[in-house]
């Protein structure tokens, strides 16, 4: 929100004793296209096998953690392995930016509104 101001025009013009706040809104629309991974559709067997493979390939990172730096590295590797296994075991789902009609907005209701 930018450029806001209180509009102090004459009451007679607006037929109100309230003052209006005017502003400009900037930014992206909330209707932007989005993709996400639906956890309920995750193939957990694939996740487990992918994670086992990734963890075994990085086993040396998890041996002899004897410093804060090694602990940070191991935590980072664990996090990236989990995320990578999840991404490969879960399909990317597309969410349309199109506004879906309300469930009660049937052709009969639209016809009744026109009358």
């Amino acid at each position: 929100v930018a450029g806001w101001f209180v509009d102090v025009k004459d009451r007679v013009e607006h037929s109100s004793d309230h003052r209006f706040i005017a502003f400009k809104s900037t930014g992206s629309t909330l209707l932007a296209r989005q993709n996400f991974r639906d956890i309920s559709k995750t193939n957990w067997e694939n996740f487990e096998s992918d994670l086992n493979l990734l963890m075994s390939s990085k086993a040396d990172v998890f041996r002899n953690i004897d410093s804060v730096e090694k602990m940070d590295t191991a935590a980072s590797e664990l996090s990236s392995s989990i995320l990578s296994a999840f991404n490969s075991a879960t399909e990317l789902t597309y969410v349309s930016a199109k506004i879906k009609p309300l469930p009660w907005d049937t052709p009969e209701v639209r016809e009744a509104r026109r009358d």
Side-chain angles (χ1 to χ4, degrees), residues 6-115:
V6 178
D7 192 354
V8 291
K9 292 183 179 176
D10 188 15
R11 281 191 224 179
V12 175
E13 183 180 335
H14 294 297
S15 300
S16 173
D17 60 347
H18 293 66
R19 295 185 178 173
F20 297 95
I21 298 176
F23 59 89
K24 290 182 180 179
S25 177
T26 58
S28 63
T29 176
L30 295 175
L31 298 177
R33 198 168 76 176
Q34 297 178 357
N35 296 324
F36 75 102
R37 297 187 190 277
D38 186 353
I39 195 168
S40 69
K41 296 180 181 177
T42 299
N43 183 327
W44 292 108
E45 283 127 18
N46 286 358
F47 171 80
E48 186 176 1
S49 67
D50 289 350
L51 186 57
N52 283 333
L53 184 64
L54 288 166
M55 294 301 289
S56 65
S57 70
K58 299 175 184 180
D60 58 319
V61 174
F62 300 100
R63 288 193 192 106
N64 300 325
I65 299 174
D66 56 5
S67 68
V68 173
E69 291 80 21
K70 287 183 180 180
M71 176 80 70
D72 287 342
T73 301
S76 178
E77 289 294 333
L78 176 62
S79 178
S80 91
S81 295
I82 291 171
L83 188 58
S84 179
F86 176 73
N87 287 341
S88 69
T90 311
E91 279 187 38
L92 196 59
T93 302
Y94 169 75
V95 179
S96 173
K98 183 179 177 184
I99 298 173
K100 294 180 183 176
L102 299 170
W104 50 263
D105 193 15
T106 63
E108 293 83 12
V109 170
R110 286 191 291 276
E111 182 65 34
R113 275 195 306 223
R114 279 184 250 166
D115 294 339

